[in-house]
Amino acid sequence: MRSRAVAYPLLAVLGWGVMFPILASALNRVDPLNLTIARYLLAVAVLVAILLFREGASALRHGGRTAEVVVLGVVGFAGFNLLTNLALEHATPQQVSLFVATTPVITQLVRWVRDGIRPKPLLLALSLVALIGVGLVITRGSLAGLGQFGLGGLMMIGAVLGWGIYTHGASRFGEWSPLRFTTLTALAGTAAMLVVSVGADAVGWQHAPGAADLVAITPQLAYAVLVGAVIAVLAWNTGVQRLGAANAALFMNLVPVTTFAVQIARGYRPVGVELAGAALTIAALVAANVATRARTTPASQATAVADPVAVVDPVAVVSR
């Protein structure tokens, strides 16, 4: 059962990793914030429709937890997406994706600070090893480029920290289905992003796209909505409930590696250190899964995951 559960976060991160090159061309027609809000307005409509079909109208109620839902949606969902898209104005997609790969470490550190739950040393060590592998892939063995992040790097630190807080807070919604938590926090986050995007258009920071622009990016938008923001999200939520947040988060290291693989298929030729980094990341993920499964007894497998986090598309980023 646990081996089959691995397929869910794997499907999610592969879908998100492929999005980088797919959305690259869309940015030639639509500004980053407007592209993101167009994507999530459609995605939220799909999620609401699925929630109504599966759980009924009562699932749209907050059950007295409106403040929590709004805060988590704004800090995590909107905060991560907006800061990430703004960071892309100052850093390359490859650099930004490297920050995304810190999700496993940040999630464990947030739990440590807020709950006093120390991360398992082996799991934390393997997270760091996987991150080193991603660093080799992104930097091609040279760390010189990391010193040029500047404002973009600071934005990404805030984005990933916000996502860690969101992930931790989501553990308090274990009685909700992943679909319900995803949909309600997505609604709150999308509303916040809409306000920011409209404001940016109004002051001239960006320009609202015309109908012709949206039609031109229909294929990219369709993938980003259906695969990146619906299928991948639901697969991810299922994975974190079955594996636990810390274990599933390890797969986030494969997002930039997946993007890298797509670029190879498009004609990019990697150097040896990049291939070594990809191999190191995959090896660390496999080792973490095997080690965790080895320590899991039959009794604990029958117990519900204590941290059933529903995570909403943590790679809602666009590339240039």
Side-chain angles (χ1 to χ4, degrees):
M1 177 64 71
R2 196 174 185 85
S3 296
R4 290 197 295 271
V6 167
Y8 292 102
L10 182 60
L11 172 63
V13 298
L14 290 177
W16 290 328
V18 171
M19 265 197 317
F20 283 85
I22 286 180
L23 290 180
S25 60
L27 282 171
N28 295 325
R29 300 294 297 265
V30 180
D31 292 321
L33 296 184
N34 281 318
L35 179 61
T36 301
I37 196 60
R39 175 190 179 195
Y40 282 103
L41 284 175
L42 294 172
V44 163
V46 174
L47 288 170
V48 169
I50 296 174
L51 182 63
L52 290 174
F53 177 77
R54 292 291 301 274
E55 302 184 28
S58 61
L60 290 173
R61 299 170 184 166
H62 292 164
R65 308 183 74 174
T66 300
E68 289 179 273
V69 169
V70 171
V71 169
L72 291 176
V74 171
V75 171
F77 189 86
F80 180 88
N81 285 287
L82 291 178
L83 285 174
T84 298
N85 282 286
L86 289 172
L88 285 167
E89 297 284 344
H90 306 278
T92 67
Q94 291 81 6
Q95 292 172 326
V96 168
S97 68
L98 182 59
F99 275 103
V100 173
T102 66
T103 300
V105 176
I106 295 298
T107 299
Q108 295 177 69
L109 293 179
V110 168
R111 293 178 67 215
W112 189 3
V113 171
R114 299 197 62 182
D115 294 338
I117 301 176
R118 290 176 176 271
K120 295 178 180 178
L122 179 60
L123 195 62
L124 182 58
L126 289 171
S127 296
L128 294 175
V129 170
L131 183 58
I132 291 172
V134 172
L136 293 175
V137 170
I138 300 302
T139 65
R140 308 183 78 183
S142 173
L143 299 180
L146 296 180
Q148 301 174 4
F149 270 79
L151 182 58
L154 294 176
M155 290 178 177
M156 282 309 300
I157 291 173
V160 177
L161 180 59
W163 193 256
I165 294 172
Y166 172 85
T167 301
H168 173 272
S171 64
R172 297 193 295 269
F173 289 79
E175 70 278 13
W176 287 17
S177 70
L179 176 61
R180 183 184 182 187
F181 181 80
T182 297
T183 303
L184 295 185
T185 52
L187 279 168
T190 300
M193 287 193 293
L194 182 61
V195 170
V196 173
S197 185
V198 170
D201 289 334
V203 300
W205 288 350
Q206 63 176 17
H207 304 285
D213 295 320
L214 294 177
V215 170
I217 64 168
T218 295
Q220 299 97 314
L221 203 55
Y223 179 92
V225 171
L226 297 178
V227 178
V230 177
I231 294 175
V233 172
L234 295 179
W236 177 260
N237 291 339
T238 302
V240 291
Q241 282 202 340
R242 296 189 181 189
L243 295 174
N247 295 329
L250 281 168
F251 286 83
M252 289 304 297
N253 291 286
L254 285 177
V255 171
V257 175
T258 302
T259 302
F260 169 77
V262 171
Q263 292 301 95
I264 292 178
R266 299 177 64 190
Y268 179 72
R269 294 295 174 261
V271 297
V273 68
E274 293 173 283
L275 295 176
L280 182 62
T281 295
I282 294 172
L285 290 172
V286 172
N289 181 261
V290 170
T292 302
R293 183 167 63 241
R295 288 197 303 267
T296 303
T297 64
S300 63
Q301 287 179 348
T303 303
V305 175
D307 191 12
V309 182
V311 185
V312 183
D313 201 354
V315 192
V317 297
V318 291
S319 59
R320 286 178 179 272

